[in-house]
Each structure stands twice: as C-alpha cells, then as structure tokens.
Amino acid sequence: METKQLKNQHLIWRATFGISVNEISAMPDIAQHKLYAEIEKPSLQKPASINVVDNNLKQLLGGTMTPAAMQQRFKNLSKDEKKQIRRQNIADIKKINVAWLNEMINSDAQLREKMSLFWHGHFACRIQNIYYQQLLLNVIRENALENFGDLLKAVSKSASMLQFLNNQQNQKQHPNENFAREVMELFTIGRGNYTETDVKEGARAFTGWAYSIDGEFTFRQYAHDTGDKTFMGKTGNFDGDDILNILLQQKQTAVFITRKIYKYFVNTNADEEKVQWLAARFYQNNYDIKKLMDDIFSSDWFYADANIGAHIKSPVELLVGIRRLLPMQLENDYIQLLFQRALGQLLFYPPNVAGWPGGTAWIDSSSLMLRLRIPQLIKDDETFFSHAKNR
C-alpha cells in the first residue's frame, strides 16, 4: 500500500524536477491535492523571458529599422562579419541552454518549466539562429500551461519552426509539403490519421507563411495559393489558420496529445482507457493544458503502484534533479552541456523533428554507468571542467 509520503514524493518528481535542498528536511505531510495546489500556484504566473542574445546581434535586428532595411544590412555584411555572427549564434545557444537549466533548477514555477521541457521535445526544432530559438523558447514557456490551440498556432508561426520545416520555400508554384506533413504527423493528429491528399492540400494552404529577418510572422499574399482545397473532408479557400483549426476540431488531435503527455508524466505503457477519458475532457475543455494536468495529478490512478517508479528520467530531468537536491556551485556551468551531450539530450539540438524518443531509449550500458557516476563527476572530475572550458 502506498503511503502518503511515497505518493507525495511521486507527485513531486513527476510535476516538478524534484525536491530542492531547502525542502529535503521534511517531505510535506499533506494531502496530494493540497500539495499539487502548492506546486501549481507559482506556475500560473507569466514567466519572465529568457534573454541571452548578444548585443551586436540585437543591434543588427533591433531598433527602428524595417525588416527590409535589416535584410539589406545583413546582405552588406562581409564574409568575416557573417562568420562572426554564426560563431556568436553557437555561443549564445550554449548560453540559453545554461540559462534555461538555471530556471529549471531555481524557479518556483517548477510545473511550468517541466511542461515547457515536454513541449520543447514535442515541437522539436534545430536551427543555428539564437534570436529565433530564443523567441520560440519564450513562446513555449509562456503558453506551456495555457491553451494548446494557441500554443500550436504560435509555434507554427514562429520563425524557428517555419525555417526548420522549410515553409519559407512553400509557394503556390512549388508547394513544399514538409511543414504541413510534420504539423499533422508530429504536432497534432498523428500518423495514420490523415491521407497524402491532406498533406498536399494542407501544403497549399500554408503557402505564403513566412517570417521577416527580425523573426516576425509575415503572410506573403503573392506566394499564397488562393484556390479551393479539400482537407479532412472539408472544402474551401483555406489558409494555414484554417488548417490548424480543422486539425483542432478533430478529436484524434486531443487523443494524440493526451497519449503523449500521459506517457511522459504517468507511464510509458499508456492505459488507453484512461487516455481516452483524459482526451475527451481535454477536448471538451477546449484544449486547456492546465485542466488536463489537473485531471492527471488529481486522479487516484496516478498514484497507483504501477505508476510509481516507472519513469526513466531524461538526461535533463536527471541533471536538474541532481542540481536541485545537491548544494553545489559549479566551477563552470558549461560542463552541464557536456553531460547532456554524453547522455543523449542536448537542449536545442534534437536528433530530428520527432524529438527525443524517451523511455528506455535513454538507457544503455554506457549511459547507465555515466548516470550513476554523475554526482561524483560533477564534484571531483577536473577533466570534465577542463574539457568544458575548451569547447
């Protein structure tokens, strides 16, 4: 029989990155619903944006210049200046990695940051532009517990995702199907629930969706296919927003998202009966993410023995959990990037658009041994620090 302490510990590890050193003296001896309310409350506030972009890049992209003027300025840069910007992008992506890790470690809004990490994998994006990556991360963090439809649309219109999935090249004369396919397969309805015709017609609807050099969404009317499209059994002069709305109208979208969240926060062996119950409520609640998480963490079955201890932490969850539990001041914060890389989850560098597979994929003979040694390596191994400084 699960004790109150074990249940509370289970809730803390799933809804947060783990108990902090300041809280370790006593596991809260309160009912789970009260503990969850305490966990949730700080996450209901809008998070402060993470901002690490180098001042030179800010100057290039900021000020009162129009996007056209910024584009011209960028074109006029020398090869050496462009090379320096690329180097700065790489350096700043490392900085935003560490900055976000620190938020996960130190923020009281644990549920929001944990949920943001989930969405970071769901909306996997890998580009070498720190400005666009920063915009996308803050969109995800701001919407992590809000409305999934709003999050989907904001991510879909982000410069990062439009660039990563090639929609800047999607024009009526030469439709590019990549963006439309991934929006359906990975972000909403899931493989097997759409046809190749839906992909082609969806791609036509997304023609003209683009972004300016400052990362703002733009709609290029001249590149948009204004003809009728037939998508998911509906016909009309659809644009990208129409396609996303039609996908949100499909109950299968709620099922797909709910199943993925269930596997991440409850158990990789999804109980389909519970997934369907949660998905129906998620759909009825107009894709309210907070209400979905409330349903999960307030359910008796969440605390069942089969779900306790059944989660294999991702490398980032593991590292953040250790940092929260063990009081330490790192000589070099960037060593955490080396551990991420060695364990197979480097933030902002997903292996592909499907993100990290998770579950047992995190564990093999070498990574398991490294996981066991991490606390000692962080504390004692100077070779890691030395290597980190030279990267």
Side-chain angles (χ1 to χ4, degrees):
M1 181 177 179
E2 301 84 9
T3 64
K4 182 186 290 186
Q5 180 176 348
L6 183 60
K7 289 181 179 180
N8 286 348
Q9 180 177 320
H10 174 60
L11 173 59
I12 289 171
W13 277 115
R14 297 299 175 83
T16 79
F17 290 100
I19 198 164
S20 73
V21 65
N22 297 325
E23 302 163 335
I24 195 66
S25 58
M27 181 67 65
D29 187 24
I30 59 177
Q32 283 75 56
H33 71 279
K34 291 183 179 180
L35 176 57
Y36 179 63
E38 290 184 7
I39 291 171
E40 183 183 58
K41 186 176 180 180
S43 294
L44 301 182
Q45 304 298 317
K46 182 177 179 179
S49 296
I50 293 176
N51 188 351
V52 303
V53 176
D54 176 76
N55 286 333
N56 291 331
L57 189 56
K58 283 182 183 178
Q59 187 175 2
L60 175 65
L61 296 175
T64 58
M65 295 181 68
T66 65
M70 292 179 194
Q71 185 73 48
Q72 188 59 48
R73 178 192 279 187
F74 190 78
K75 287 182 178 179
N76 292 337
L77 293 175
S78 68
K79 289 184 178 179
D80 286 343
E81 287 172 325
K82 290 180 180 179
K83 183 183 292 185
Q84 178 56 36
I85 287 177
R86 287 193 291 271
R87 288 175 178 169
Q88 192 62 57
N89 270 306
I90 294 172
D92 283 353
I93 288 177
K94 292 179 181 179
K95 284 170 62 177
I96 200 171
N97 184 315
V98 171
W100 190 20
L101 276 179
N102 287 334
E103 281 295 316
M104 296 181 203
I105 294 164
N106 300 314
S107 174
D108 290 333
Q110 285 285 293
L111 178 60
R112 180 177 291 278
E113 298 304 332
K114 187 80 173 277
M115 201 75 218
S116 297
L117 180 60
F118 167 79
W119 293 123
H120 180 66
H122 180 75
F123 293 111
C125 182
R126 179 171 178 165
I127 63 167
Q128 289 293 329
N129 184 311
I130 178 57
Y131 191 75
Y132 297 169
Q133 286 279 33
Q134 181 173 281
L135 290 172
L136 177 57
L137 174 61
N138 287 322
V139 161
I140 286 175
R141 292 176 64 243
E142 289 170 8
N143 291 279
L145 285 169
E146 306 303 323
N147 180 273
F148 174 72
D150 293 341
L151 173 62
L152 171 67
K153 291 174 183 178
V155 169
S156 297
K157 291 183 177 181
S158 70
S160 287
M161 197 59 72
L162 289 169
Q163 181 184 117
F164 186 50
L165 298 181
N166 311 117
N167 208 72
Q168 192 85 332
Q169 292 80 43
N170 187 16
Q171 302 183 27
K172 59 183 177 182
Q173 298 89 351
H174 306 285
N176 186 306
E177 299 175 3
N178 194 32
F179 185 84
R181 183 181 301 278
E182 306 304 359
V183 164
M184 287 185 280
E185 178 178 333
L186 299 174
F187 299 166
T188 57
I189 202 166
R191 183 178 297 179
N193 296 297
Y194 58 88
T195 67
E196 285 301 306
T197 297
D198 291 325
V199 173
K200 294 180 185 300
E201 298 291 88
R204 291 177 58 210
F206 283 116
T207 53
W209 274 35
Y211 56 91
S212 60
I213 193 171
D214 62 345
E216 290 296 315
F217 173 77
T218 60
F219 179 66
R220 298 177 179 175
Q221 184 66 48
Y222 69 88
H224 179 63
D225 186 333
T226 58
D228 280 354
K229 301 99 181 169
T230 299
F231 180 79
M232 294 281 170
K234 297 185 178 184
T235 300
N237 179 14
F238 298 140
D239 61 17
D241 283 312
D242 295 320
I243 296 301
L244 295 180
N245 286 331
I246 292 172
L247 288 168
L248 290 167
Q249 291 167 10
Q250 311 302 309
K251 292 183 178 180
Q252 179 58 34
T253 294
V255 173
F256 180 77
I257 299 301
T258 300
R259 184 182 294 113
K260 196 167 183 179
I261 287 176
Y262 186 100
K263 289 183 174 182
Y264 191 93
F265 287 94
V266 184
N267 198 314
T268 52
N269 295 318
D271 183 321
E272 278 302 312
E273 182 179 348
K274 293 177 176 59
V275 167
Q276 294 294 331
W277 179 81
L278 289 166
R281 289 176 58 82
F282 190 36
Y283 187 82
Q284 292 164 5
N285 288 325
N286 191 33
Y287 292 97
D288 188 314
I289 301 167
K290 173 188 169 297
K291 289 182 179 178
L292 173 60
M293 304 315 292
D294 290 348
D295 281 342
I296 290 173
F297 294 127
S298 64
S299 295
D300 290 340
W301 48 257
F302 173 74
Y303 301 92
D305 184 63
N307 296 326
I308 295 178
H311 176 65
I312 299 175
K313 296 176 187 176
S314 73
V316 171
E317 287 178 288
L318 180 66
L319 291 168
V320 173
I322 291 172
R323 289 292 313 280
R324 281 179 62 77
L325 185 61
L326 298 178
M328 67 180 73
Q329 183 67 42
L330 296 183
E331 179 182 334
N332 185 340
D333 280 338
Y334 287 85
I335 191 166
Q336 297 170 109
L337 276 65
L338 294 181
F339 285 127
Q340 288 177 40
R341 188 187 300 275
L343 291 170
Q345 187 186 29
L346 183 60
L347 295 174
F348 304 100
Y349 289 92
N352 50 54
V353 71
W356 296 277
T360 56
W362 296 129
I363 298 294
D364 58 31
S365 57
S366 60
S367 64
L368 182 58
M369 291 303 297
L370 179 57
R371 280 171 173 252
L372 295 174
R373 294 184 63 207
I374 282 177
Q376 177 189 352
L377 290 171
I378 291 177
K379 181 178 183 296
D380 298 328
D381 197 328
E382 295 300 325
T383 61
F384 268 85
F385 288 110
S386 175
H387 188 33
K389 291 175 182 176
N390 295 324
R391 290 185 70 84

